[in-house]
Amino acid sequence: MVRDIQGTFDVIVVGAGLAGSACALSLARNGARVCVCERGAWPGEKSLSGMILYGRPLEDLIPAFWKDAPVERAITRRRFSVLAQDSEVALDLHFEDFNREPHNYTFSVLRSRFDRWFAQQAAEAGATVFTEALVENLLWEGQKVVGVRLRGGEELAAHVVVSCEGTNGFLVQKAGLRDPYSPRKVAVGVKEVLALPREILQERFGLEGKEGAAMEFFGQSVKGLVGSAFLYTNQDTLSVGLSCSVESLIEGGIPPAELLAQFKQHPSVRRWVSGGERVEYGAQMIPEGGYYGIPRLVRDGFLVCGSAAGFVGGTFYHEGSSMALLSGRLAAETILDARRQGDYTARVLKAYVRRLKRSPVIKDLRGQRHLSAWCHENPRFFKEYPDLAVELLRDYFTVSANKSKAEIRRGIARKFRARVGYLRGLWDFWRFKRAMFGK
């Protein structure tokens, strides 16, 4: 990863995250001269740490990657929880099949470690990785992008520039492909990594060997705002965090750091994180526009991948890692076709969009295309309904000396009718189904 380059590249990839390294690795393996410009002192330095890696697309690039990659744990347990003020209703799932290879291709990872390893795979395949290389602008010949300018004035030329720079995506705006985000179409995520002795972590979460757990929290986890919280187990740390839309944070008037602190003090959460020592903290922007938030992806000499393209699943789906990996690979395939033709115009590069439309990236985002708007138009699903669900279940399971179960059920029905109403409830949940799963 040395900054000593002469001549012109076929491709410059901006950002050594999942999309960038997937793109660079695919290109380098096929003989393209590719350079990766990473603004951090090493790949992963600027990445917000713990996450769940949905690595099925990575298997196509590096078979059995989990044997060599610095993954933390295979996710064998999924838990989905609705929090009220001091109570919880949860669905807890465990799949023994995921304990066996290929572990459902799903692992907890620490980005600072994983991104560094992944970029090294691209470097070993022949890519040149520049670190501390902050791209400040694009170079142009007429309407065609022909390279980048780094901070300090250094210029690098290429036939194609690929933006894998993350949510902020300044180059995407400079290329005229996207306007600045509106508060509704971007979220703020905050995350901590908490150190916890491995033996305590194993016992507390009921884990054996390299089993791992991923937990999602809704409702009062974020004080009824449009968002959710999470907790992932690593080898000897926990990744704990939350994300909320900027619009919702503004309306709620609660700083994200304060939300996270309150979340960790919830009675159903503090038992998981008790005794953890903070070793890392960070925040980042996350695109929340969904299908309708995708910018234009192509122009002459320029492509957009990963979260810079808005390829993130949103409030309920968190499979941005698989979308980043797949979009990076599809961009590389398109560029290799263009290289064979000697034509890097948008006319040829638009094959990238066609590939995406045939892939799960666009198919899944299109299926959930109503989800982003629905979340903001139905805030009661983040506060009123979670609180009511917990309250009704508590009523049902409360032991009574005076009421029969039939009387308790009738009381629950009356409470639901008074607070929501059957017609409104049916209408709300029909709209929820349509937003989650499409027409």
Side-chain angles (χ1 to χ4, degrees):
M1 301 183 182
V2 180
R3 295 189 56 186
D4 182 16
I5 290 284
Q6 299 294 325
T8 300
F9 293 100
D10 294 314
V11 185
I12 294 171
V13 177
V14 182
L18 299 179
S21 290
C23 184
L25 176 59
S26 301
L27 289 166
R29 280 181 174 172
N30 287 277
R33 192 158 185 240
V34 55
C35 164
V36 181
C37 293
E38 165 57 40
R39 67 191 178 100
W42 64 84
E45 188 207 18
K46 300 296 184 180
S47 299
L48 188 58
S49 203
M51 65 169 285
I52 299 301
L53 174 73
Y54 296 92
R56 181 61 186 85
L58 184 56
E59 164 76 359
D60 296 330
L61 292 173
I62 306 176
F65 65 87
W66 59 88
K67 295 182 178 180
D68 298 313
V71 299
E72 295 290 310
R73 291 178 178 270
I75 300 302
T76 60
R77 179 186 180 190
R78 304 299 300 265
R79 192 170 188 272
F80 301 90
S81 172
V82 174
L83 301 184
Q85 192 64 37
D86 58 1
S87 305
E88 175 187 31
V89 173
L91 175 65
D92 205 334
L93 309 172
H94 179 270
F95 304 103
E96 188 60 28
D97 283 352
F98 295 169
N99 238 341
R100 296 184 283 271
E101 293 185 353
H103 304 294
N104 196 37
Y105 306 102
T106 306
F107 304 86
S108 58
V109 300
L110 295 171
R111 291 289 301 273
S112 57
R113 300 175 187 173
F114 187 87
D115 286 11
R116 195 169 195 170
W117 170 84
F118 196 16
Q120 186 61 39
Q121 307 312 299
E124 290 175 1
T128 299
V129 181
F130 280 175
T131 55
E132 298 183 310
L134 176 62
V135 175
E136 289 192 321
N137 217 330
L138 298 170
L139 302 180
W140 299 85
E141 281 186 2
Q143 296 300 307
K144 183 180 187 298
V145 176
V146 295
V148 299
R149 179 178 294 112
L150 307 181
R151 176 174 290 178
E154 184 178 0
E155 295 183 348
L156 301 175
H159 298 301
V160 180
V161 173
V162 184
S163 168
C164 302
E165 56 191 317
T167 303
N168 288 331
F170 297 118
L171 297 184
V172 183
Q173 292 186 51
K174 289 179 180 293
L177 302 184
R178 190 195 68 217
D179 294 328
Y181 287 113
S182 69
R184 177 171 287 197
K185 292 188 176 181
V186 67
V188 172
V190 291
K191 188 181 299 184
E192 291 181 344
V193 177
L194 305 177
L196 198 66
R198 176 181 168 84
E199 59 274 14
I200 293 178
L201 190 148
Q202 297 281 97
E203 181 179 357
R204 183 174 295 177
F205 288 86
L207 304 174
E208 298 178 354
K210 292 189 176 181
E211 291 178 329
M215 301 181 175
E216 304 281 345
F217 300 86
F218 303 93
Q220 285 297 327
S221 63
V222 289
K223 301 300 179 184
L225 302 182
V226 178
S228 62
F230 58 85
L231 187 157
Y232 309 140
T233 58
N234 306 312
Q235 283 290 339
D236 53 8
T237 61
L238 298 174
S239 298
V240 185
L242 56 84
S243 65
C244 294
S245 80
V246 171
E247 180 177 278
S248 184
L249 285 169
I250 293 171
E251 292 174 354
I254 308 175
E258 183 177 332
L259 268 181
L260 181 58
Q262 293 180 19
F263 167 65
K264 292 192 300 176
Q265 289 302 311
H266 190 281
S268 296
V269 178
R270 64 171 179 253
R271 68 192 64 202
W272 301 118
V273 302
S274 176
E277 179 184 352
R278 182 196 287 182
V279 294
E280 188 174 344
Y281 176 86
Q284 70 176 21
M285 306 294 284
I286 304 168
E288 287 280 327
Y291 180 76
Y292 294 117
I294 298 173
R296 289 169 53 208
L297 300 173
V298 174
R299 66 171 303 154
D300 292 351
F302 191 79
L303 293 174
V304 190
C305 298
S307 56
F311 296 154
V312 178
T315 300
F316 293 101
Y317 297 92
H318 302 287
E319 298 187 15
S321 57
S322 63
M323 292 183 175
L325 291 164
L326 185 52
S327 64
R329 195 193 80 203
L330 296 179
E333 292 175 2
T334 303
I335 293 167
L336 291 168
D337 285 348
R339 184 170 176 253
R340 285 187 282 270
Q341 297 177 48
D343 185 349
Y344 301 94
T345 62
R347 181 186 66 82
V348 174
L349 295 180
K350 280 181 179 177
Y352 170 55
V353 178
R354 294 192 290 273
R355 283 182 164 94
L356 285 169
K357 287 180 177 178
R358 294 193 297 267
S359 78
V361 176
I362 298 299
K363 288 180 179 179
D364 286 349
L365 287 174
R366 191 174 190 283
Q368 305 151 19
R369 63 191 179 276
H370 302 297
L371 188 57
S372 178
W374 175 89
C375 288
H376 290 88
E377 293 165 3
N378 295 272
R380 56 185 170 273
F381 269 84
F382 293 87
K383 188 177 189 311
E384 294 174 32
Y385 278 120
D387 287 350
L388 181 59
V390 174
E391 184 178 338
L392 296 182
L393 285 166
R394 185 182 61 228
D395 288 353
Y396 184 80
F397 287 102
T398 297
V399 176
S400 173
N402 304 315
K403 296 181 180 179
S404 67
K405 284 297 182 186
E407 290 173 313
I408 291 173
R409 286 194 294 269
R410 287 195 292 272
I412 289 172
R414 286 194 297 272
K415 185 177 289 187
F416 182 85
R417 187 168 58 247
R419 298 265 288 274
V420 177
Y422 294 128
L423 289 178
R424 177 186 170 189
L426 286 172
W427 172 249
D428 283 346
F429 279 90
W430 180 84
R431 293 189 68 198
F432 171 73
K433 173 182 175 295
R434 181 172 179 266
M436 284 288 287
F437 307 112
K439 293 182 179 180

